[in-house]
Amino acid sequence: MKASEIRELLKLLDQPDIISFAGGIPDPSLFPAQAIGDAYQAVLGGAEAEAALQYQVSEGFLPLRKWLAAYMGRLGVQCDEGNIFITSGSQQALDYLGKLFLSPGDTALVTWPTYLGALQAFNAYEPRYDRLTPAGGNMTPQAYRAAAAANGGRVKFAYLVPDFANPTGNTLDVKQREAVLDLAGELDIAVIEDAAYRALRYDGEAVPPILALDCARSGGIDNARTLYCGSFSKILSPGMRVGWVCAARHVVEKLVLMKQASDLHSPSINQMVMHRVAETIFDGQVEKLIGAYRRRRDALLSALEASMPQGISWSRPDGGMFVWLTLPEGTDATELLARSVKEARVAFVPGNAFFADGTGRNTLRMSFTLADDRAVGEGVPRLAKLLRG
């Protein structure tokens, strides 16, 4: 287990002269603080107060699970509260799923690059990683099996962020999602769909979740191999730590046993407040964030276009929080970061942190959610100047 480069970089936010494109966190000025405060007051000032301060069932607060089942139905996943499991943020879900599936030496298929937090969650269970390429070029199932066996284990699951991925910002189309399901079917493995950013779409048409495609193939959620990990952190509040898993009942039953052995349940009061807030303002809050973050994404992309020297390319995400830059071969983004913080007072995340094998040293991630006009207008030209040498 290693320290998170991103968590270390977040400490830079305490330095007022640093322009940071590093932490992939929502803008706190956009949190629905009034609605959340009113909900806490209503819960603690009414008939629910005792239940809010008491132990809760491990599955999670029933009305919240029912709301989430209806929400998943809007995404094309027909399910009920028995298919919903509440977690302390989606990060806890990744930890539990690593514990559920992985023994030392087993193989997890992940994209190159992938979400750093997933690697940290899975690393505790000592897997090896093999490369998942949804756009094409995967190994054959036989080759994946042989490589896993040669390392003393089996392939257990494929993990990916199909919508506005952290760190690249890329989104998989239907064909690519179907290809992942095809491969998982041939290998007879689970698919972990990390959907933390799904609601934050700024352009284009929504693509069905992998779980929805899986349900259509398999005849229903209880036959599906896909486990959907959702979160309220990017829309309503990360500090309340409320996430969920939507999956077949037999998977939820196993996760409940883990919860009982870990922290018993997520905080009752937070779940009850989240339910009140979600059922009243969720859609409106999504629209508010889309308007704000779309402008910031566009400003960052325009600044990169205007300032960056030749030989540097970047992603153009349809949503989410991130833009992914590829620098000329031989450039080391970790070394660049040290110079950038010292000379330009600009922070970003070096890309090698997101590669299971530590490659990708000529890449970096920039987040635009906290980037106001001043940060973009000053920070991008400073970084570009540094890259020109």
Side-chain angles (χ1 to χ4, degrees), residues 244-266:
W244 74 91
V245 176
C246 182
R249 287 172 182 266
H250 66 271
V251 174
V252 169
E253 290 168 0
K254 295 292 189 297
L255 296 175
V256 167
L257 295 178
M258 292 181 182
K259 190 79 169 169
Q260 290 170 349
S262 177
D263 61 356
L264 296 182
H265 61 86
S266 296

Side-chain angles (χ1 to χ4, degrees), residues 305-328:
E305 193 70 44
S307 303
M308 283 294 163
Q310 289 188 344
I312 297 173
S313 60
W314 51 89
S315 62
R316 290 169 172 78
D318 288 333
M321 295 184 165
F322 309 109
V323 173
W324 182 249
L325 276 68
T326 302
L327 312 178

Side-chain angles (χ1 to χ4, degrees), residues 171-193:
T171 296
L172 301 186
D173 60 26
V174 171
K175 182 178 179 181
Q176 292 164 344
R177 295 171 196 231
E178 294 278 12
V180 171
L181 286 173
D182 289 341
L183 178 64
E186 293 184 77
L187 288 169
D188 194 21
I189 59 172
V191 175
I192 300 176
E193 178 177 15

Side-chain angles (χ1 to χ4, degrees), residues 65-306:
R65 289 162 55 218
K66 287 184 175 180
W67 186 91
L68 285 166
Y71 174 75
M72 294 303 301
R74 289 163 53 188
L75 301 182
V77 178
Q78 299 305 311
C79 63
D80 62 28
E81 64 272 15
N83 301 110
I84 303 293
F85 170 68
I86 303 297
T87 60
S88 297
S90 61
Q91 188 67 24
Q92 185 178 65
L94 297 179
D95 175 50
Y96 283 6
L97 293 173
K99 182 184 293 187
L100 178 63
F101 287 110
L102 295 171
S103 297
D106 280 337
T107 293
L109 305 184
V110 299
T111 55
W112 246 243
T114 195
Y115 171 47
L116 172 59
L119 296 178
Q120 289 183 297
F122 301 151
N123 282 347
Y125 307 105
E126 302 179 44
R128 66 177 285 271
Y129 297 101
D130 215 334
R131 187 166 185 164
L132 177 68
T133 312
N138 286 312
M139 296 194 303
T140 65
Q142 294 79 10
Y144 278 125
R145 287 195 195 95
N151 284 272
R154 296 184 294 152
V155 183
K156 289 297 182 67
F157 60 73
Y159 165 83
L160 68 165
V161 186
D163 296 285
F164 326 122
N166 183 357
T168 63
N170 294 337
T171 296
L172 301 186
D173 60 26
V174 171
K175 182 178 179 181
Q176 292 164 344
R177 295 171 196 231
E178 294 278 12
V180 171
L181 286 173
D182 289 341
L183 178 64
E186 293 184 77
L187 288 169
D188 194 21
I189 59 172
V191 175
I192 300 176
E193 178 177 15
D194 189 339
Y197 310 96
R198 178 178 175 84
L200 296 176
R201 172 173 285 278
Y202 316 135
D203 298 314
E205 295 295 323
V207 185
I210 295 174
L211 178 54
L213 300 173
D214 193 350
C215 289
R217 286 183 172 206
S218 63
I221 189 167
D222 288 327
N223 298 319
R225 65 177 69 251
T226 303
L227 319 170
Y228 182 104
C229 299
S231 173
F232 288 107
S233 293
K234 306 303 184 291
I235 305 302
L236 295 176
S237 166
M240 292 174 70
R241 309 308 302 135
V242 182
W244 74 91
V245 176
C246 182
R249 287 172 182 266
H250 66 271
V251 174
V252 169
E253 290 168 0
K254 295 292 189 297
L255 296 175
V256 167
L257 295 178
M258 292 181 182
K259 190 79 169 169
Q260 290 170 349
S262 177
D263 61 356
L264 296 182
H265 61 86
S266 296
S268 304
I269 188 169
N270 288 1
Q271 295 184 64
M272 296 170 78
V273 167
M274 189 63 78
H275 171 246
R276 280 178 172 260
V277 175
E279 71 175 357
T280 54
I281 70 163
F282 185 85
D283 291 343
Q285 176 69 7
V286 168
E287 290 304 311
K288 175 182 174 181
L289 295 178
I290 286 173
Y293 292 157
R294 179 193 284 128
R295 289 191 295 273
R296 296 175 193 182
R297 178 208 58 180
D298 292 347
L300 178 57
L301 292 176
S302 295
L304 291 169
E305 193 70 44

